[in-house]
C-alpha cells in the first residue's frame, strides 16, 4: 500500500535533482578550500646532523701539575640529509663535566672549529663525553649527549 502511494505521489522527488547539484557544488567548494589550506601550510623543518673527524680526544695526564693549560681544537661538520654543508648554524659544545661551554658558527661549507680550553672531566672519572647542540632556522635542532669521548691518558 505504501508502495502504491509513492508511485502516484511525486512531491518527494520534486526539486531533488537541483538539491543534488547544489550539495555537490557546496561540497566541492569545501573540498577545494581544505586543499588550499593544506597547500599553504608551512613546511616542517628539515633534519641536520653533525660529525667530528675524530672519535676520541685524549687529554694529557695532570698528575702533580694543576696549572697545565690544555687547549684543543674540535673540528665539527654540520650537514643536511643530502650531505650538503649548512651555513650559519650555531654550534654549542659542553665540556664533559658540563661546567664550560664553547660555541661557533659554521662557514659556507658547514665547518666550524671549536677552541676548547681546559676541558674538565666529571669528578672521579678518567673519561667523559662532550655534549653538542646545533641550531639553525629552518632545521630541526641536533643534540648529542655523547658526541665525542674524552679520556685522560
Amino acid at each position: 500500500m505504501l508502495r502504491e502511494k509513492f508511485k502516484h505521489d511525486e512531491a518527494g522527488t520534486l526539486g531533488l535533482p537541483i538539491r543534488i547539484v547544489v550539495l555537490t557544488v557546496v561540497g566541492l567548494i569545501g573540498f577545494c578550500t581544505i586543499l588550499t589550506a593544506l597547500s599553504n601550510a608551512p613546511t616542517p623543518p628539515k633534519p641536520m646532523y653533525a660529525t667530528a673527524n675524530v672519535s676520541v680526544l685524549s687529554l694529557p695526564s695532570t698528575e702533580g701539575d694543576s696549572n697545565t693549560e690544555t687547549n684543543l681544537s674540535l673540528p665539527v661538520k654540520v650537514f643536511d640529509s643530502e650531505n650538503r654543508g649548512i651555513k650559519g648554524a650555531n654550534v654549542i659544545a659542553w665540556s664533559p663535566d658540563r661546567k664550560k661551554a664553547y660555541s661557533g658558527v659554521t662557514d659556507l661549507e658547514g665547518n666550524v672549529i671549536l677552541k676548547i680550553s681546559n676541558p674538565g672531566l666529571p669528578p672521579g672519572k678518567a673519561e667523559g663525553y662532550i655534549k653538542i647542540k646545533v641550531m639553525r632556522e629552518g632545521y630541526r635542532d641536533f643534540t648529542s649527549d655523547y658526541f665525542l669521548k674524552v679520556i685522560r691518558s
Side-chain angles (χ1 to χ4, degrees):
M1 178 150 160
L2 193 57
R3 277 182 149 172
E4 301 242 346
K5 235 182 184 183
F6 282 132
K7 286 182 184 177
H8 299 295
D9 187 11
E10 295 178 358
T13 59
L14 289 177
L16 186 60
I18 193 70
R19 287 184 200 144
I20 292 172
V21 169
V22 169
L23 288 175
T24 302
V25 169
V26 169
L28 284 174
I29 290 172
F31 183 68
C32 289
T33 304
I34 291 171
L35 286 180
T36 301
L38 288 176
S39 67
N40 291 335
T43 58
K46 302 175 211 162
M48 68 176 163
Y49 310 94
T51 61
N53 63 357
V54 292
S55 59
V56 176
L57 280 179
S58 183
L59 299 177
S61 179
T62 59
E63 291 179 23
D65 189 10
S66 60
N67 294 330
T68 304
E69 184 98 6
T70 305
N71 293 314
L72 303 169
S73 293
L74 175 60
V76 177
K77 168 87 173 170
V78 179
F79 54 95
D80 62 12
S81 58
E82 297 172 1
N83 287 332
R84 294 181 300 210
I86 297 175
K87 169 188 141 186
N90 294 309
V91 180
I92 303 171
W94 286 268
S95 63
D97 63 1
R98 304 295 191 257
K99 292 182 180 178
K100 296 179 184 174
Y102 313 94
S103 65
V105 178
T106 59
D107 61 12
L108 293 171
E109 287 82 34
N111 297 311
V112 64
I113 297 177
L114 300 177
K115 304 293 184 195
I116 298 177
S117 60
N118 293 329
L121 293 174
K125 303 275 182 161
E127 64 183 37
Y129 292 90
I130 290 179
K131 176 182 177 179
I132 193 169
K133 182 170 186 172
V134 183
M135 300 167 286
R136 172 78 162 84
E137 188 176 328
Y139 293 89
R140 272 186 274 154
D141 292 354
F142 172 81
T143 303
S144 175
D145 289 341
Y146 305 100
F147 184 70
L148 185 65
K149 187 173 185 175
V150 178
I151 60 171
R152 180 140 344 253
S153 56

